[in-house]
Amino acid sequence: MELQEYLDRMNSGEPVIGEGDLHLFMREITEETMRLTCQLNATYHTQEEVCEIFSQIIGKPVPKGFRLFPPFYTNCGKNIVVGKGVFINTGCHFQDQGGITLGDGTFLGNNVVLTTMNHDFDPEKRRTTYPAPIVTGKNVWIGSSVTVVPGVYIGDGAIVAAGSVVTRDVPPNTIVAGVPARVLREIRPGDRPRQRLDLAELRKKQP
């Protein structure tokens, strides 16, 4: 099987039968990807070197402004597409067999998990998996320790609060939070994070 045929079939949502041709080809890709991720994570690299290794992982050049802080983990890599100005912070995990597309300006916090495969509910067929993509629009911010499940679209400008589990589509320009994540409110002009506490003043108040 050629890589493009594999990707086309995965992107069609076709079930992956355990020990079938798709599953066996997936294992071959995983071996190569493990080698590259070990190379990325094993020692210090300049950002230019990081971009070069990440390009090998995904099988295509990264756009202008891409930035990644290792370690980074994926067991496929070849079904990842990143837009311009994407930032991936440390410790992120991508299970991208079903397809992960990060729109221009998407930011991922520490330890974000993006997973695009579900197992069959029937215990007798549990080795069968079902791919479904994750897609973000432009200028999406996904906070630290967020998990996004298969088949989710996150709209332009949305913010996913730290620690959330995203199980459904996120409307554009909204803030979502929780397990499962729910819309808290729309983002308004002039919104900003809570201002930092004055640690010096707080320490003076301590007994």
Side-chain angles (χ1 to χ4, degrees), residues 35-55:
R35 181 186 67 80
L36 290 168
T37 54
C38 284
Q39 179 184 348
L40 175 66
N41 298 331
T43 188
Y44 169 77
H45 299 282
T46 66
Q47 273 301 307
E48 290 77 13
E49 293 168 337
V50 167
C51 287
E52 174 58 31
I53 299 170
F54 189 81
S55 294

Side-chain angles (χ1 to χ4, degrees), residues 101-170:
T101 301
L102 303 179
D104 294 350
T106 292
F107 288 1
L108 303 187
N110 301 303
N111 303 314
V112 168
V113 176
L114 306 181
T115 177
T116 64
M117 298 285 282
N118 268 323
H119 289 272
D120 200 291
F121 287 1
D122 183 344
E124 299 300 320
K125 301 178 181 178
R126 194 61 51 81
R127 292 171 67 86
T128 295
T129 53
Y130 299 87
I134 292 171
V135 178
T136 74
K138 295 180 179 180
N139 302 315
V140 169
W141 176 19
I142 299 178
S144 296
S145 301
V146 166
T147 296
V148 183
V149 305
V152 166
Y153 176 77
I154 301 176
D156 292 353
I159 297 173
V160 181
S164 299
V165 177
V166 185
T167 61
R168 63 185 71 180
D169 290 353
V170 176

Side-chain angles (χ1 to χ4, degrees), residues 142-204:
I142 299 178
S144 296
S145 301
V146 166
T147 296
V148 183
V149 305
V152 166
Y153 176 77
I154 301 176
D156 292 353
I159 297 173
V160 181
S164 299
V165 177
V166 185
T167 61
R168 63 185 71 180
D169 290 353
V170 176
N173 299 308
T174 59
I175 300 174
V176 301
V179 181
R182 302 182 187 280
V183 174
L184 297 182
R185 62 178 175 83
E186 294 183 357
I187 297 172
R188 298 180 293 268
D191 276 353
R192 61 198 311 182
R194 185 176 67 168
Q195 296 296 293
R196 65 182 295 275
L197 298 174
D198 189 327
L199 293 181
E201 288 300 317
L202 288 174
R203 287 167 179 156
K204 288 178 182 178

